Each structure stands twice: as C-alpha cells, then as structure tokens.
Amino acid sequence: MQRLPLLPLLLLAFLLAASPVMAQISSGGSSNKKAQSAFDEGIKNIQGRNFEKALELFQEAVKRDTTFGEAYVEAAGLYRILQKEEEAYQFYRRGLSKMPDKPGRSADYYNYAELAFARGQYDQASTFYQKYLQYGKKNSRQAQRANQQLVNATFAQKAMANPVNFNPQPLGEKVNMFGLQYSPVLTTDQQALLFTARNGSGPLDDENLYLASRKDGQWQAPVSVSEAINTELNEGAASLSGDGRVLVFTSCNRQDSYGSCDLYISYREGNEWSKPKNMGRNVNTSSWDSQPSLSADGRTIYFASNRKGGQGGEDLWMTQQQEDGTWRIPVNLGPKVNTPGRENSPFLHASGNTLYYATDGLPGMGGLDLFKANREKNGWGTPENMGYPLNTHRDESSIFISPDNKTGYYSGQAGSGGKVEVALLQFEVPEVWKGKTISSFAQGRVFDAQTRKPLKATVQVYDLDSAGVISQQVSSDKASGEYTIVVNQKQRYALYVTAPGHVLESRHISASSTSAPLALDFYLQPLNKGAKAVLSNLFFDTGKADLRPESQTELDKLFQFLKANPKIQVEIAGHTDNVGQAAANQKLSEARAKAVVKYLVSKGAPASIFQAKGYGPSQPAAPNTSEENRQLNRRIELQIL
C-alpha cells in the first residue's frame, strides 16, 4: 500500500476535526463555546416558555460573539412574540445578514420584511420579501401579501423620488391645546372648526368634540361643542354640514347603541344643540359604524363600517335622508372605491364631486394611504394615491380640503417635544390634490316681510343644467333666520325659499356670480291679497313666448306651491323692458304670461284660479338705464288676488 505524505494526513485530520465548527459557523452558529452554551440554554428556556430568561441568554450570546447570527434571529423571534417590534427589527437586521440563505429561514425573511416595510425601509423589505417568495410556500397567504408589498414598495420608492410640494403648518397653540387633536372639519365659510381631542394618549382618556371659531382671521381657543353632546363616554370622528347646523358623530357602547360603535345625530337651533339621537337601525348595525362625512346640506352621509355585504374588512357606505326625515338603508360604494382591504376616514368635498378617503387595499406607501376619487357620470372614478410626503409608511387619515380648494387641514405628529403628540395642521393645497370642482357659498337670512322677524324656511337649490335635480336643501335658523348653501363655480342655480303661510320666493344664481361668496337675504310675503313674488327662473328666447327647457324647474316649483295652497287665486303678470315698440312689448308680455298659465293648467292646476296679464314696459322694476336693469324688468310676477 502506498503511504500518504505526512502533511496531507495532518491537514485532513484537522479538517475532519474542524468540520462541526465550520458547519456551525456557516449556518449562523458560533465558534465561541461560551456564546454557544448561552445560546443552547436559551433554546431550552424557550422550550420551557421562559422567554425573558431566553432573551437574556441570547443577549449574552451575541455579546460574547457579535457574529452569532442564529442568536440574533432567535432573539428577534422572541421580541416579536413579546410585541417589541423595534427590538425584533434590530435583531433581525443584525442576524440575517450574518447567515446564509436557506428555506428553513423563510418565516424569518417574511417577518423581517414586514418589520422593515413598517419602518419605511423599502429596499430591505423588497429584498426579504423576494427571499421569502424564493424559499417559502408559493401559494400561501404570506406569499400573496409579499407580492402585494413588493408592488407597494415599488410605488413608494417612485413616490419618494417625486414628492408633492407639501408644507404643513400647525394651527397654533390656541387650537392645539390638547395632547391629541384630530379629525378636523370646517363649515363652508371656514369660520368654525370642529375636531376631536383628548388630553392623553391612553385608552382611558376621555375623547370629546371641540369647536373653535375664527375671529379677525385668527383661530380662537376651542370650547366643548355642547354639554348635550359631550359625555363621560367617548365622542369622536364627527362631521358638520356646511352651515354648521347638523352634526353627526361616533360614540361607542352607549345604552341605546346597536353595536360596538354607532352614528348619532344632533341639530342646532340658535346656539343650542339638540340631544343626540342614535340614527336608528336603517343606518346602524351590530357591527362597527363610524367616521361619518356629511354632504354640504347635511342630507347625505358617507361613513365607514365593517358590516356584512361589503368588499372587504372595512368599507365605505352611503345613506341619504328622505323627505320624511328618515334615512335610507346605506348602500356600499362598490368595488371602484372599496377593496378586500380596509377603507375608512371618508371626506366628501363641499362640491360633492370629490371623495377623499384612506385605504390599504390599493398600491401605496404602506398601511393606510390617503386617496381621492372624482365623481363621474356613472359613479366614482379611479382613486388616485395622494403621494409622498402626505402618505408615508404609517397610517394616514382625516384630511379636509376647503370648498375653494385653497387650504387643507389634517392631523399629524406635532414634533415639538411638548405635551402635544398629535396636532392640527393646515397647508396650501397642491394642484394634484385639489377637488374636481371649486366651490363658493351663498349666505343670508330669511325674514317675514311684514314683521321683519327671522323666519324658519326651507331653502332648496336646483342645478339648472339638470332639470328637476335638487342639489341641496337646508333650513334657515329659526332664531336668526340664517342659512348657508354651497354653489359650485361655473354652474347656474335656481334658488327657492318657502315657508308655511308665505309666498314662494325664487332667485337666479348665474354661472358668472359663483366665483365669490354671495349675500342673499329673503323677505317672504305672507299669503295676503296683493302679495307678490318675482319668478326669477323662467326663460324665453329674445322676442318669443316659448318657455325654454330650463324653465321647467321653476314651473314645477310654482305648481307645488299652488297645490299646497289650493284656496288662493293668482295673477301671472308678464313685464318687459322699454326696448322696441310698446305695442309689441305689450303683446309679448301677455303671451309669456299665458304660456306660464298654460303649463300650470297642463300639470293639473285649475284654470279658474288664474288671471294672465301683460303689462309691457309700463311697470319697470328698475330704470331702463343699463342692461342689468333691463334684465330685471324682463320678468314674470306672481300676485295673490
């Protein structure tokens, strides 16, 4: 037998003796005996479910050997069990980099990827999601999420490379006087701010609603919205109508609740809020119902709920108030808005044409991101992520965009180091975040024309370009007569004010007048002989007596008024300006009055209650010295006989 040289034999013996150590090191183990011993004892303590002791031993192991990958990873897993996520993240980060890739570590790859993503570490997260997909179960729930998170990470990295110009500023110490303040909403005129606040961040800290007013352009210190609303229970996630007279909020575990959290409603007359009422079984369920957003007129509510029948966990739903004051059974906003994930924190822009909300079911930065969707003919359009830095790896929610699209409000980290943890902030709205439609508003008061006292009346707003479609309905305040309505720029409106025992009043709002706030007071005539009202939304072509299609809204409102007051008799009077021959104007005014009567009779009004007369230019409402005045003189009037 040939004898092997001595040196190769010694080398072979050394390698054979060292192979357990080499294998141990290559798999993440340690050549340090004391470190390995501490690790082994830690494993035994895990088996005995003494996790704290096991952690001590793993920490001793990595202290003795800073390259001991296995000890780092085992400690990371324990920190996850103990819900100490930052420690888990740090130990995974140190340990996995010291260990070779292998299928047995797929769960650790997934866990670390989740922790990295939750901290906005998108590169690390992507690397380890890909490792999980390489080594883990291909058709598992985790694999599905890993693929989704890779899409999110790609989106996030692109968003961070193209940030939106966004510079939020705190509202100031007068408003931000609590530990936490969030969910801001404003009235249409932006003179009142409602929000939720609590003094501490603990689960036992009371949550209440507060109202701040703007005076001389400055926000004043907030006050409790009302003793009738705030209680020892939590009240939060609230919304106001545009006029600040309807309030819907969330409260949980009340004696009259149907589930964990329900929606409650309260109405303001003068300075007093009514006792809140549960919105009832049509709206609330045994599930979680929360985070309402009211339309400008307070007659439509968008809210979040995890009730059955949705697309996923939490969905957005919508309900509308009916003519009798009750609320319809809510409808789901459908798969264009809702996803298998979570949707919450809806905010409907004052125009009604843009919806802002939070979801984790669409590509985003991680957690809940804020999106916006514009109204289209057949519902809501494709939602758009609002981008970085508004959206981050954290959960975002509760944004408010002013009707004019100029100013936004939301809640965010205070960053001051004081007692304020979450503050209310405002910002100039970037172009890409603006609502589809710019809105303004009309405000005024309604009075009885004889007594000059404030009058509670119904104010209805119709879009003249959509015949018969009511866009808003509000009531004037009984104590002050005040009302507020929203008007969208470049739209024409017919405005109607009615009150029992009074003559209908109508007003035309032209498309050109909606670019700035309007002041419109109304003095309603009691239903007495001689009372008059101008019918401001009847339209004829020049020199003709044929009613144009957009006149139908006014004609139908006039018919409803006559039907509600069947004992009155009326004169329908036509008037013109002084342009042209007097005889021709006389004839035209009479023909137009008869055209109005003809339509009303065709709808079912008795012909016997009408007199149709034409006065030509003989009774001008204003001097015929300008086109604006001549337009006032070209009118149809209603007079009680």
Side-chain angles (χ1 to χ4, degrees), residues 302 318 333-334 336-337 347-349 352-357 372-383 436:
Y302 289 75
M318 184 269 288
L333 294 196
K336 203 70 175 283
V337 170
F347 160 62
L348 182 68
H349 189 260
N353 289 331
T354 302
L355 177 68
Y356 299 83
Y357 69 103
K372 75 165 191 171
N374 289 326
R375 191 183 296 277
E376 297 177 348
K377 288 184 178 179
N378 298 319
W380 295 107
T382 302
K436 177 182 179 181

Side-chain angles (χ1 to χ4, degrees), residues 223-463:
V223 296
S224 170
V225 66
S226 171
E227 291 184 1
I229 294 173
N230 287 330
T231 69
E232 70 278 1
L233 298 172
N234 285 349
E235 292 80 28
S239 183
L240 274 177
S241 57
D243 59 8
R245 298 184 59 239
V246 183
L247 189 154
V248 175
F249 66 94
T250 309
S251 191
C252 306
N253 303 315
R254 292 195 176 204
Q255 289 185 345
D256 60 349
S257 68
Y258 297 104
S260 60
C261 294
D262 282 0
L263 299 180
Y264 290 78
I265 192 165
S266 177
Y267 296 91
R268 180 173 62 83
E269 288 285 357
N271 294 320
E272 299 297 324
W273 287 96
S274 66
K275 182 179 179 181
K277 289 186 177 181
N278 187 298
M279 295 195 68
R281 288 192 179 276
N282 269 12
V283 175
N284 293 312
T285 65
S286 59
S287 301
W288 175 81
D289 304 300
S290 184
Q291 300 177 337
S293 178
L294 280 163
S295 61
D297 65 355
R299 294 171 58 83
T300 300
I301 303 174
Y302 289 75
F303 65 99
S305 177
N306 61 358
R307 65 184 63 195
K308 294 180 180 178
Q311 307 294 322
E314 300 162 15
D315 274 16
L316 300 187
W317 300 74
M318 184 269 288
T319 181
Q320 293 177 307
Q321 192 172 34
Q322 303 179 99
E323 288 303 314
D324 63 0
T326 60
W327 294 84
R328 298 181 187 274
I329 294 175
V331 296
N332 188 276
L333 294 196
K336 203 70 175 283
V337 170
N338 292 314
T339 71
R342 296 182 296 155
E343 283 75 39
N344 58 43
S345 301
F347 160 62
L348 182 68
H349 189 260
S351 66
N353 289 331
T354 302
L355 177 68
Y356 299 83
Y357 69 103
T359 179
D360 64 1
L362 295 170
M365 305 288 295
L368 292 166
D369 274 16
L370 287 165
F371 285 73
K372 75 165 191 171
N374 289 326
R375 191 183 296 277
E376 297 177 348
K377 288 184 178 179
N378 298 319
W380 295 107
T382 302
E384 301 174 18
N385 190 297
M386 296 177 71
Y388 177 84
L390 175 65
N391 289 323
T392 68
H393 58 276
R394 302 180 181 90
D395 284 346
E396 271 75 41
S397 63
S398 303
I399 195 168
F400 181 95
I401 305 294
S402 63
D404 60 10
N405 283 334
K406 292 181 179 179
T407 309
Y409 301 83
Y410 84 119
S411 54
Q413 299 298 315
S416 62
K419 76 161 189 175
V420 178
E421 298 179 47
V422 175
L424 298 179
L425 304 101
Q426 69 178 32
F427 56 90
E428 183 179 341
V429 181
E431 193 66 34
V432 293
W433 295 352
K434 291 182 177 179
K436 177 182 179 181
T437 307
I438 299 173
S439 299
S440 184
F441 59 91
Q443 283 183 325
R445 301 174 70 186
V446 182
F447 301 93
D448 181 288
Q450 285 189 353
T451 65
R452 301 286 167 160
K453 291 182 178 181
L455 190 63
K456 183 177 178 65
T458 299
V459 182
Q460 293 180 315
V461 186
Y462 286 79
D463 180 355

